[in-house]
Amino acid sequence: NGKRIAFASNIVGSLYDLYVASVTGGHVRRLTREGPDTFEPSWSPDGAMIAFAQDGAIAATDLSGHIKELTDTENNDSSPAWNPHPPPSGG
């Protein structure tokens, strides 16, 4: 919606974590903590989730910081992207 940005930074400690901030630069909030480096945030089309690369896998988080792994580390996944058009429902 153009009101927030997501970014990865190592501003706190040596590992990169995922942060969200208002576009005016205020209200910075850290969403990931004390895990492997987190990179390449990608907003979902509805702005409710952020996908990101972490330790060779793709994960997603809501704005409360609840993380769900979407892939495993086997294929060294990176550069998450959302499909903006959901599949048709029904038959």
Side-chain angles (χ1 to χ4, degrees):
N1 65 10
K3 295 181 181 180
R4 296 176 297 221
I5 59 170
F7 62 96
S9 175
N10 66 345
I11 194 168
V12 177
S14 61
L15 296 176
Y16 280 79
D17 282 306
L18 182 64
Y19 293 83
V20 173
S22 69
V23 293
T24 60
H27 307 291
V28 176
R29 190 169 44 159
R30 186 169 150 192
L31 296 178
T32 59
R33 298 178 183 277
E34 302 177 21
D37 284 327
T38 301
F39 296 101
E40 302 173 325
S42 175
W43 285 100
S44 64
D46 66 1
M49 302 284 291
I50 303 170
F52 55 92
Q54 185 178 54
D55 199 29
I58 301 297
T61 184
D62 60 18
L63 296 178
S64 324
H66 293 95
I67 297 171
K68 179 179 180 180
E69 277 199 20
L70 303 176
T71 68
D72 59 36
T73 60
E74 185 176 315
N75 295 312
N76 198 27
D77 297 325
S78 63
S79 303
W82 295 87
N83 182 351
H85 304 289
S89 60

